[in-house]
Amino acid sequence: MEFSMKLTQEEKDILNGKQGPVMAKILKTLVWYGEIYGAKKLVPITHEGHLVTSMGIGLMKPVFRTMDEIINEGITSKWKFSVDPRPIDYKNVKCNLLNKLIFSKIMYSQQKHYEQQLEKVGLINKDAFTCACYLPQTGNIPKYGDILSWAESSAVVFANSVYGARCNRNSGMIDLFGCIIGKVPEFGLLLDENRKANWVIEIKTSKIPEAQILGSAIGIKVQDGVPFIKGLDKFIGEKLDENTMAYLKDMGAASASNGAVGLYHIENLTPEAKKYGNKIINKDAKTFIIDDKVLEETYKNYPILWKNENAKPKLCFIGCPHLSLEQLNSWTEKLVENLKTNGKNKLSVRTILTTSPSVKKAFEQTENYKKLIKTGAKLSSICPLMYTNNPIAGKQPILTCSNKLRTYSSARYKTDAEIIDIITGKENI
Ligand code: F3S
């Protein structure tokens, strides 16, 4: 086999079958993948993995076959991994009979089987199903400079930008293959030169921008560029505390889904911006100014995909990406307070807040959990997109404050404040 990538003797041996035919195929796939992007070598991973493929969709037969081949050969991953959220939670996200039939017999018929496969290959634990794997309760937190094999776009952009780790936006199965071999091809955001900003974003708004709309405006403009954001620290501070991290989680997910941002820097805040300052900006970087008008226009341009624009929302999803503990507390307080102000006891729209299984467990121990449940809201660890993305569930008028969910489904985006007003009965849509 001829490859243009420079390979070590150990890698050549694996490719020649010294560790069996399955390991040879896995490494060959990684090498080919790297060569497409011009990688010159493979580099070792230095931290746990995160897989994007969490759903046992019956149609993904090649994935289940590949997993069986790996398991039958007795292969386990060198680096254990967390996985994106589960697609179903019949207890907290109730479905009608038809929906349940579609989910269990057609769409996610292989869920149980696939989860068993993941456990055999290297799943961290049964609670490791979340896109926000880097929250402290789940604990898949990379260090500065760590090399990762992750794929979930919202997690990759967070790890690169907020922790200063190094990871490309890989695809499903490539993330797993990297964890098994313990190496990834070196290209893209693993290299210093590609971590330099080719856009300068100047924030000139009159107040703190809505994280989800700011991320969207940035993503739409820079696409897969690397933005250096100036003027945001004025609103969110210069410390990476829980609130700031939650803001960046939501902003980054919107930039990664409305565009294809894998890394951003924020002046005076994120590690590489702090370390290198303006030196991390390319000389020919373009500038984009974001003011109130740009944010307003961005929001106004979102298409409404509901069949009837004036329909009463049937369902509302809050938490894509999964909410942090701090966000759960803050949502609960706002919902309780606004219900009281509006003279209501219960939310007027079926509302699901989503978070990681380990954050859910921690939140369930608090007084706020009881308060949240009393409002009629439910707490789940599913991925709202996987729930929404089918012909039956997708036909419902669904509300969300997630720009990622809006982008990939027919759910309608509203800001956090608007969502609160609608679901606590202050105003109609
Ligand atoms: Fe997470 Fe699913 Fe949203 S993976 S970012 S909850 S689409």
Side-chain angles (χ1 to χ4, degrees):
M1 265 178 289
E2 280 301 311
F3 298 104
S4 57
M5 199 184 279
K6 197 161 177 267
L7 299 163
T8 63
Q9 191 52 50
E10 190 197 10
E11 289 157 4
K12 284 180 192 162
D13 288 345
I14 296 175
L15 288 167
N16 288 328
K18 208 168 172 186
Q19 294 186 26
V22 179
M23 279 297 264
K25 277 200 275 186
I26 291 173
L27 184 54
K28 193 158 89 175
T29 310
L30 270 185
V31 172
W32 274 340
Y33 171 68
E35 288 191 344
I36 291 170
Y37 292 98
K40 297 204 172 62
K41 59 175 178 172
L42 297 167
V43 286
I45 295 166
T46 57
H47 182 81
E48 285 164 335
H50 180 80
L51 311 191
V52 71
T53 317
S54 61
M55 57 292 192
I57 295 185
L59 286 173
M60 293 192 327
K61 289 192 179 105
V63 171
F64 309 131
R65 249 193 340 258
T66 307
M67 292 296 274
D68 276 339
E69 275 193 58
I70 293 169
I71 293 161
N72 293 340
E73 193 83 352
I75 296 169
T76 52
S77 66
K78 275 209 172 73
W79 286 96
K80 292 204 165 231
F81 47 78
S82 46
V83 193
D84 261 4
R86 295 183 169 101
I88 35 184
D89 170 4
Y90 297 127
K91 193 170 155 228
N92 296 300
V93 192
K94 290 218 161 57
C95 316
N96 61 28
L97 260 180
L98 185 57
N99 250 336
K100 200 165 174 179
L101 204 70
I102 290 178
F103 280 143
S104 59
K105 300 278 182 246
I106 304 170
M107 285 197 67
Y108 302 119
S109 57
Q110 293 302 308
Q111 190 62 30
K112 209 167 151 204
H113 173 226
Y114 181 53
E115 286 190 23
Q116 287 163 349
Q117 290 183 319
L118 289 170
E119 277 171 38
K120 285 181 188 154
V121 177
L123 180 68
I124 291 173
N125 60 46
K126 282 186 195 295
D127 281 347
F129 283 88
T130 175
C131 46
C133 59
Y134 44 79
L135 291 175
Q137 293 78 6
T138 304
N140 189 352
I141 305 173
K143 297 182 303 301
Y144 184 86
D146 267 336
I147 306 285
L148 309 177
S149 184
W150 293 15
E152 162 57 41
S153 66
S154 66
V156 168
V157 70
F158 192 88
N160 274 322
S161 314
V162 179
Y163 291 121
R166 295 191 171 212
C167 185
N168 284 311
R169 289 164 44 112
N170 296 300
S171 58
M173 293 310 272
I174 290 290
D175 46 11
L176 173 65
F177 291 173
C179 292
I180 289 176
I181 298 289
K183 290 181 181 179
V184 280
E186 191 184 46
F187 68 92
L189 294 172
L190 267 56
L191 297 167
D192 287 348
E193 62 265 32
N194 298 321
R195 296 184 72 86
K196 287 194 143 192
N198 48 15
W199 278 93
V200 174
I201 309 291
E202 291 183 16
I203 308 291
K204 296 197 171 162
T205 52
S206 58
K207 56 180 192 323
I208 179 169
E210 188 89 9
Q212 295 273 358
I213 303 181
L214 175 62
S216 164
I218 294 173
I220 291 168
K221 189 70 178 180
V222 313
Q223 292 293 301
D224 62 350
V226 178
F228 187 98
I229 305 168
K230 295 187 172 193
L232 189 59
D233 53 325
K234 186 173 94 192
F235 296 110
I236 63 173
E238 295 182 8
K239 226 176 97 204
L240 285 170
D241 58 18
E242 275 193 0
N243 283 331
T244 316
M245 288 204 176
Y247 185 96
L248 297 181
K249 166 174 73 69
D250 293 345
M251 187 201 81
S255 72
S257 55
N258 287 219
V261 176
L263 165 68
Y264 57 80
H265 303 293
I266 299 180
E267 190 173 39
N268 299 324
L269 182 63
T270 54
E272 280 154 287
K274 272 191 154 169
K275 187 169 176 190
Y276 302 108
N278 283 340
K279 282 193 213 124
I280 205 162
I281 305 172
N282 272 336
K283 280 200 182 71
D284 56 355
K286 290 180 238 153
T287 299
F288 177 43
I289 295 173
I290 296 190
D291 55 18
D292 295 344
K293 199 158 169 258
V294 169
L295 294 181
E296 221 178 277
E297 287 294 313
T298 305
Y299 184 14
K300 245 178 40 202
N301 284 334
Y302 297 148
I304 299 166
L305 300 178
W306 288 4
K307 227 171 152 185
N308 171 10
E309 278 194 24
N310 302 315
K312 185 178 172 345
K314 284 238 161 64
L315 184 59
C316 174
F317 276 116
I318 298 168
C320 162
H322 275 173
L323 297 169
S324 66
L325 190 60
E326 168 57 36
Q327 286 179 304
L328 276 172
N329 281 319
S330 143
W331 272 101
T332 303
E333 279 149 25
K334 284 182 197 150
L335 293 178
V336 170
E337 198 184 299
N338 280 271
L339 277 175
K340 203 171 153 199
T341 311
N342 299 335
K344 313 254 161 131
N345 293 320
K346 295 271 177 208
L347 299 178
S348 54
V349 179
R350 188 159 77 98
T351 298
I352 320 278
L353 285 86
T354 50
T355 189
S356 83
S358 39
V359 172
K360 184 169 180 279
K361 277 185 185 163
F363 186 66
E364 280 166 353
Q365 304 307 312
T366 67
E367 275 306 301
N368 268 350
Y369 172 69
K370 287 183 209 141
K371 289 187 194 165
L372 178 71
I373 297 305
K374 226 173 139 193
T375 68
K378 296 277 183 202
L379 186 60
S380 172
S381 290
I382 61 161
C383 166
L385 177 59
M386 285 184 233
Y387 173 85
T388 314
N389 218 354
N390 72 78
I392 297 210
K395 269 192 193 141
Q396 299 179 63
I398 298 176
L399 268 187
T400 183
C401 47
S402 160
N403 228 320
K404 180 170 178 180
L405 185 57
R406 172 197 73 78
T407 305
Y408 296 137
S409 75
S410 56
R412 183 168 177 180
Y413 174 82
K414 290 275 170 187
T415 64
D416 290 5
E418 288 169 325
I419 292 261
I420 290 171
D421 283 349
I422 296 166
I423 65 180
T424 60
K426 184 177 175 197
E427 62 183 45
N428 292 324
I429 196 152

